[in-house]
Amino acid sequence: MAALANDTKTQILELGIQLIQQHGYQAFSYADIARALHIKNAAVHYHFPAKEDLYLAIVQYYIDVYQHMARQMNETQLSPKQQLDRFIQRYADLVDANKICIIGAASADYNNMPEAVKKKVTELVDYVLGLVEKTLAAGKRNGSFAFTETAKNQTMLLMTNLAAGVQLARITGKKDFENIRKSILKTIQA
Amino acid sequence: MAALANDTKTQILELGIQLIQQHGYQAFSYADIARALHIKNAAVHYHFPAKEDLYLAIVQYYIDVYQHMARQMNETQLSPKQQLDRFIQRYADLVDANKICIIGAASADYNNMPEAVKKKVTELVDYVLGLVEKTLAAGKRNGSFAFTETAKNQTMLLMTNLAAGVQLARITGKKDFENIRKSILKTIQA
DNA sequence: GCTGTTACTTACTAATAAGTAAGTTACGGA
DNA sequence: TCCGTAACTTACTTATTAGTAAGTAACAGC
């Protein structure tokens, strides 16, 4: 929303996202960000006073992204199948960039988070799960998906396949994610 | 193997495992371990000179655990169904202890690892995947499991469900893991 | 009874972490 | 033209990090 107002602030945010997905929250410092953007440590603190503020902004950014995605999918009248393909493609892109999804990254770090961040993460997860659940349910109704589980359970199966799929691919190689992707699609193919 | 020789060393190792699964590798320090065990920082370095050595020992420890488990399962002639139940129960225990599995934890931290640790992690993952694959294949042969994917692909689906299942449960609550567990079992039930 | 080894402690170091206070520069109104 | 604010930099502090060098106490073997 207001994210594009300030250039440096946006750059910090985007770099923060990248660093979390590539190295984890604990593994990067404000000094890393400052170095990469050719600004000083204190400039990062100017935009995000504490590291917790940056984390919060990153999670909020993803909530915004998925809300935007949901709206766009509605407007463009994408079929449930197309919606799901697009969603899965996001994970394939993560694999190519040697990243893991923020939800997985957040989970690994969950026990170290301040309450405010935990709450935002829960908000994000609930939103994303809800989004996929609606897509799966719609696809079942129009006959393009078939599964015997509830849409909610099928969503959890699919999401865990994707999230841990990118994690596994980091260790064992990209082709494992491709196999998982194909298997997921078979699982719900009508 | 030789792990039980030295008491303090074993305690450091076990505490290290716990800290990695609860907080992640980057989020704990030798000072944390020293404090908890009422020894000095330098004592931890005596047993594991660098943090990398501790990480390596932890991953090796899990390789040993799973090798032991494999041998035991063979000796006690557990059915594939019983073997899988036992394996899945390990993940349920993680959820109860508010931990995630080392493979998931290692994946989040993979890009920060020295090559030697990466290699050991790959060794662990390959071993565990191989173990589950054998169990699924055996279950299919004796008619207790049914699935259309290859045993390898089915293993990856199951493992990603479990690994990300415990991660999800950390954020959204334990009952989500229980639902995933039931759904997994339905998926492969003959 | 001396020697070596194991398992530590004491006492550090250098690097890096997050965070802050005070100053600077540029710019956009009123 | 002065004023305030935004977006920084300079110059710090304090805490914590991994890691080390040197010393010590207990004990086992010869």
Side-chain angles (χ1 to χ4, degrees), chain A residues 90-118:
Chain A
R90 291 179 63 87
Y91 285 79
D93 292 342
L94 289 176
V95 172
D96 286 329
N98 194 23
K99 295 177 184 171
I100 64 172
C101 78
I102 358 114
I103 296 178
S107 159
D109 204 63
Y110 196 73
N111 287 339
N112 310 313
M113 284 178 181
E115 274 317 309
V117 184
K118 280 187 182 179

Side-chain angles (χ1 to χ4, degrees), chain A residues 2 31 56 66 82 85 94 101 149 189:
Chain A
L56 219 47
Y66 279 109
Q82 286 172 317
D85 281 343
L94 289 176
C101 78
E149 289 289 332
Q189 210 76 59

Side-chain angles (χ1 to χ4, degrees), chain A residues 22-23 26-27 98 107-108 110-112 125 149 153 156-157 160-161 164-165 167-168 170 172 176 179 183 186, chain B residues 22-23 26-27 98 107-108 110-112 125 149 153 156-157 160-161 164-165 167 170 172 176 179 183 186:
Chain A
Q22 281 174 348
H23 302 282
Q26 311 271 350
N98 194 23
S107 159
Y110 196 73
N111 287 339
N112 310 313
V125 173
E149 289 289 332
N153 278 351
M156 288 197 294
L157 291 178
T160 50
N161 284 149
Q167 292 172 25
L168 186 66
R170 217 183 221 188
T172 60
D176 275 348
N179 286 327
S183 296
K186 273 193 227 168
Chain B
Q22 282 173 348
H23 302 282
Q26 310 272 352
N98 193 24
S107 158
Y110 197 72
N111 287 339
N112 311 312
V125 172
E149 290 289 332
N153 278 349
M156 288 198 293
L157 291 178
T160 50
N161 284 148
Q167 291 172 24
R170 217 184 222 189
T172 60
D176 274 349
N179 286 328
S183 295
K186 273 192 228 168

Side-chain angles (χ1 to χ4, degrees), chain A residues 110-128:
Chain A
Y110 196 73
N111 287 339
N112 310 313
M113 284 178 181
E115 274 317 309
V117 184
K118 280 187 182 179
K119 218 182 135 191
K120 263 270 169 277
V121 168
T122 309
E123 201 184 317
L124 170 64
V125 173
D126 286 343
Y127 189 81
V128 175

Side-chain angles (χ1 to χ4, degrees), chain A residues 4-71:
Chain A
L4 295 159
N6 185 311
D7 222 38
T8 303
K9 189 168 184 175
T10 307
Q11 281 180 56
I12 295 170
L13 190 74
E14 285 173 352
L15 184 55
I17 291 170
Q18 217 175 332
L19 290 172
I20 283 182
Q21 295 188 329
Q22 281 174 348
H23 302 282
Y25 175 72
Q26 311 271 350
F28 78 89
S29 71
Y30 271 25
D32 293 328
I33 291 179
R35 213 174 298 121
L37 300 181
H38 306 109
I39 54 176
K40 300 297 157 181
N41 172 4
V44 186
H45 281 284
Y46 172 75
H47 291 289
F48 301 98
K51 220 181 160 188
E52 165 181 352
D53 298 311
L54 176 57
Y55 210 158
L56 219 47
I58 287 170
V59 181
Q60 183 60 54
Y61 174 88
Y62 268 97
I63 293 175
D64 294 346
V65 163
Y66 279 109
Q67 280 175 345
H68 180 75
M69 197 175 152
R71 231 173 299 130

Side-chain angles (χ1 to χ4, degrees), chain B residues 25 41 43 93 118 148 163 168 170:
Chain B
Y25 176 72
N41 171 5
D93 292 342
K118 281 187 182 180
T148 54
L168 187 67
R170 217 184 222 189

